[in-house]
């Protein structure tokens, strides 16, 4: 499999909110100094159609797409979400919708010569974690509310693994034919799929298929701050197999900050993630352009000091 330079990409999530044209979105991204993109689910279909001829014309490349991208037609922007269709739903029709729209994302990713599609695997059929994890992270400990949700969540684990597996099974042949890797992202809230044990089970079940874990630094760190398990668990158990990572700074319960705005020890974490081939800066809308640029320059400097990395790097975290 081909090698990658280790270049940093930036998710369009920072720039896509409220844009009126594809050109405007790329203008915002250019202000960061980065020209490698992860396209994501906030991009509407009309904006995507404007973007397609401009990406190469303006010197951009695409490393990955974040499902479901673009936002399906007739869906209002406020519904944009990586959980728009639930991979782990007990409802077969819901899962088939997830397959249909993920296939659309995968075909676009292939057209854009991207290497991976980042997937959310949905959520359990239970009470949703509405700020329970964030509240625990703010307090720096596992709260009674979080502990109660964890107990409830455990009852749904086997079902979630099976339902998500049924969905993935339908996507694997198309991923293989397109030469794409499906990146399975770790999540932040208790009701979401997968947790670490579930992700290991799914990867083992589909060993040899074109899928790999995708590490979100902020999600793992906020969960660790909430007493839900150390971030190092993800690194120790899955680190050598990560295809990509979302990078952003974190302060207590708040993630998706520009690097330098939170508490992450960036030299240490970039050393730990040095062999992850697809590195994506994922910063929330609203961050100042100058802060995003400074953060990208910090990470680019740390990446370039370590040289090129191979797609199948096997260093331990």
């Amino acid at each position: 499999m081909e090698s990658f330079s280790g270049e940093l990409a930036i998710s369009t999530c920072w720039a896509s909110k409220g844009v009126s044209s594809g050109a405007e979105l790329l203008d915002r991204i250019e202000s960061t100094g980065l020209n490698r993109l992860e396209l994501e689910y906030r991009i509407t279909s009309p904006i995507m159609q404007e973007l397609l001829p401009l990406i190469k014309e303006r010197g951009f490349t695409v490393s990955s797409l974040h499902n479901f991208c673009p936002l399906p037609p007739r869906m209002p922007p406020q519904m944009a979400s990586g959980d728009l269709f639930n991979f782990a739903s007990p409802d077969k029709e819901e899962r088939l919708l997830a397959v249909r729209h993920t296939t659309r994302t995968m075909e676009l990713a292939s057209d854009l010569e991207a290497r991976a599609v980042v997937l959310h695997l949905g959520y359990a059929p239970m009470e949703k974690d509405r700020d329970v994890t964030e509240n625990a992270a703010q307090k720096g400990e596992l709260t009674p509310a979080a502990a109660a949700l964890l107990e409830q969540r455990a009852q749904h684990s086997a079902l979630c693994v099976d339902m998500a597996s049924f969905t993935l099974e339908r996507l694997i042949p198309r991923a293989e034919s397109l030469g794409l890797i499906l990146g399975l992202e770790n999540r932040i809230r208790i009701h979401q799929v997968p947790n670490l044990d579930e992700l290991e089970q799914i990867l083992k079940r589909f060993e040899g298929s074109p899928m790999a874990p995708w590490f979100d630094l902020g999600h793992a760190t906020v969960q660790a701050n909430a007493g839900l398990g150390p971030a190092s668990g993800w690194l120790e158990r899955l680190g050598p197999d990560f295809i990509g990572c979302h990078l952003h700074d974190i302060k207590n319960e708040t993630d998706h900050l520009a690097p330098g705005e939170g508490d992450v020890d960036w030299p240490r974490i970039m050393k730990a993630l040095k062999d992850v081939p697809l590195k994506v800066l994922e910063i929330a809308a609203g961050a100042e352009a100058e802060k995003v640029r400074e953060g990208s320059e910090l990470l680019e400097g740390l990446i370039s000091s370590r040289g090129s990395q191979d797609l199948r790097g096997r260093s331990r975290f």
Side-chain angles (χ1 to χ4, degrees):
M1 197 172 287
E2 67 182 284
S3 294
F4 288 78
S5 66
E7 289 179 50
L8 182 67
I10 183 167
S11 169
T12 55
C13 67
W14 172 70
S16 57
K17 183 178 181 180
V19 297
S20 58
S21 70
E24 182 185 358
L25 188 151
L26 293 181
D27 287 343
R28 291 185 183 182
I29 296 292
E30 278 185 341
S31 70
T32 69
L34 296 171
N35 62 5
R36 195 167 176 84
L37 304 174
E38 178 175 280
L39 305 177
E40 43 73 46
Y41 50 80
R42 295 168 186 83
I43 300 174
T44 64
S45 294
I47 295 293
M48 183 63 76
Q49 289 305 308
E50 294 177 10
L51 272 178
L52 293 178
L54 293 176
I55 289 173
K56 285 188 177 180
E57 179 182 313
R58 293 182 56 169
F60 289 90
T61 59
V62 178
S63 67
S64 49
L65 271 67
H66 195 314
N67 211 29
F68 300 88
C69 178
L71 178 67
R74 296 180 295 280
M75 288 284 183
Q78 61 268 27
M79 289 190 66
S81 169
D83 288 322
L84 184 60
F85 304 104
N86 183 5
F87 274 56
S89 174
D91 181 356
K92 181 180 179 180
E93 294 304 314
E94 173 83 1
R95 299 197 307 273
L96 289 175
L97 283 172
V99 170
R100 181 193 309 169
H101 289 282
T102 303
T103 300
R104 178 171 175 252
T105 300
M106 291 161 53
E107 291 171 348
L108 177 60
S110 177
D111 290 344
L112 291 168
E113 300 180 337
R115 291 298 294 122
V117 172
V118 183
L119 305 180
H120 288 180
L121 296 188
Y123 46 90
M126 58 175 280
E127 178 185 353
K128 292 188 176 181
D129 172 355
R130 300 187 185 280
D131 299 325
V132 171
T133 297
E134 287 89 339
N135 290 339
Q138 186 178 41
K139 295 179 179 179
E141 62 183 11
L142 184 68
T143 61
L149 274 186
L150 276 176
E151 184 175 349
Q152 184 182 352
R153 175 68 172 80
Q155 299 171 17
H156 299 281
S157 184
L159 175 67
C160 288
V161 169
D162 284 344
M163 296 301 101
S165 295
F166 288 149
T167 308
L168 290 167
E169 192 170 36
R170 291 177 177 266
L171 295 170
I172 287 170
R174 191 60 177 141
E176 289 175 334
S177 69
L178 294 171
L180 288 168
I181 298 172
L182 303 177
L184 312 185
E185 185 176 359
N186 61 303
R187 308 302 304 286
I188 190 170
R189 293 188 171 88
I190 293 168
H191 72 286
Q192 293 172 330
V193 180
N195 60 33
L196 180 51
D197 288 340
E198 292 164 353
L199 185 50
E200 282 193 316
Q201 291 173 50
I202 290 168
L203 292 169
K204 184 175 181 180
R205 181 175 291 188
F206 294 107
E207 188 172 1
S209 67
M211 68 174 63
W214 184 286
F215 182 61
D216 188 294
L217 173 64
H219 295 173
T221 304
V222 171
Q223 283 206 340
N225 292 343
L228 299 177
S232 60
W234 295 90
L235 308 178
E236 291 164 1
R237 290 164 62 176
L238 296 174
D241 296 318
F242 287 130
I243 180 61
C245 57
H246 284 147
L247 301 171
H248 39 102
D249 222 325
I250 306 102
K251 196 170 187 65
N252 299 325
E253 78 282 8
T254 304
D255 60 354
H256 297 284
L257 302 174
E261 295 290 285
D263 299 325
V264 170
D265 181 346
W266 285 108
R268 182 188 64 81
I269 199 63
M270 295 310 292
K271 181 178 180 180
L273 298 174
K274 66 185 179 67
D275 287 333
V276 177
L278 301 180
K279 300 177 177 70
V280 179
L281 185 61
E282 191 181 56
I283 299 176
E288 295 178 8
E290 185 59 29
K291 294 296 184 182
V292 177
R293 185 180 183 92
E294 290 173 0
S296 69
E297 289 174 348
L298 168 65
L299 298 196
E300 287 246 289
L302 292 169
I303 291 168
S304 63
S305 70
R306 304 187 189 285
S308 297
Q309 306 300 333
D310 185 82
L311 184 65
R312 291 295 185 183
R314 283 295 182 269
S315 73
R316 276 287 174 186
F317 287 81

